[in-house]
Amino acid sequence: MACLIMFQAKPLTFQLESSHVAFAALYLQGITFDHYTALLWFDPNSPVLSNWQAFAQEFSSKFGVFDTVAEAEENLFNLWMCNNKQFTTFIIQFEKEAYKTSWNYNALQFALCHALPQRIKDILRLTPKQPSYNGYKALVTQINQQYWKDCSEYSAPRVPWNPSGNSNWQNGAAAGN
């Protein structure tokens, strides 16, 4: 991903596909680096060394995830929002995996609901059903923000009420004065 960001950020530097391949090769380690080095030494005219698509295909097929969609789906099923975490942080993780699947918004909304903590689900049961995935996310965001606002208000230090301004008013009241 870092490579793709760099290619987009510096299109003049990375005009040639061979420059894409050379830059990406800087990130190779271990067995992937050994494979690249072997290509350089023993097959220097290989399209893998000069064509970005060929490079990506070669290294993905040999060293990448076999089925990226299945992996993303499994990651979604195993992703849970912890009770002490912010929804905005969680939804970034969730959608990172969700974008790799071909799920429609109804399926994503179902998976998202499944991953939420009970404190959010309890409030969602009391609200009207959201007709869209984005509406659902907005509602969950609002519920979560209110939760954290309430938590901060309840945890603020409390000063006991003193109607007279006198710090000894309780002592006087206790003594019958």
Side-chain angles (χ1 to χ4, degrees), residues 106 109 124 127-140:
N106 289 337
Q109 187 169 331
L124 285 171
T127 64
K129 184 172 175 9
Q130 293 300 305
S132 72
Y133 174 70
N134 286 332
Y136 187 78
K137 285 191 319 183
L139 178 60
V140 172

Side-chain angles (χ1 to χ4, degrees), residues 4 6 30 37 56 77 79 86 91 96 120 126 160 168 171 173-174:
L4 297 177
M6 185 61 77
T37 305
F77 284 126
L79 193 61
Q86 291 281 349
I91 196 65
K96 177 182 173 189
I120 293 177
L126 304 173
N168 293 323
N171 295 336

Side-chain angles (χ1 to χ4, degrees), residues 11 17 23 26 28 34 48 50 58 62 65 70-71 92 97 99 112 114 116-117 119 141 143-144 161:
E17 287 194 38
F23 183 75
L26 295 172
L28 299 177
D34 293 344
V48 172
S50 60
E58 172 83 6
K62 286 192 164 106
V65 176
E71 181 187 50
I92 292 168
E97 299 299 332
Y99 292 143
L112 179 57
H114 179 70
L116 295 174
R119 66 176 170 82
T141 300
I143 291 168
N144 191 65
W161 180 69

Side-chain angles (χ1 to χ4, degrees), residues 79-153:
L79 193 61
W80 298 91
M81 180 179 159
C82 296
N83 203 32
N84 63 344
K85 297 295 180 193
Q86 291 281 349
F87 178 70
T88 50
T89 304
F90 173 76
I91 196 65
I92 292 168
Q93 285 180 289
F94 181 87
E95 289 186 338
K96 177 182 173 189
E97 299 299 332
Y99 292 143
K100 297 174 190 173
T101 70
S102 57
W103 291 2
N104 65 26
Y105 285 131
N106 289 337
L108 290 177
Q109 187 169 331
F110 178 82
L112 179 57
C113 180
H114 179 70
L116 295 174
Q118 196 61 46
R119 66 176 170 82
I120 293 177
K121 291 178 188 177
D122 290 344
I123 295 178
L124 285 171
R125 282 191 202 102
L126 304 173
T127 64
K129 184 172 175 9
Q130 293 300 305
S132 72
Y133 174 70
N134 286 332
Y136 187 78
K137 285 191 319 183
L139 178 60
V140 172
T141 300
Q142 188 177 17
I143 291 168
N144 191 65
Q145 287 173 343
Q146 186 62 49
Y147 172 81
W148 288 108
K149 180 180 174 194
D150 291 348
C151 284
S152 68
E153 288 175 2

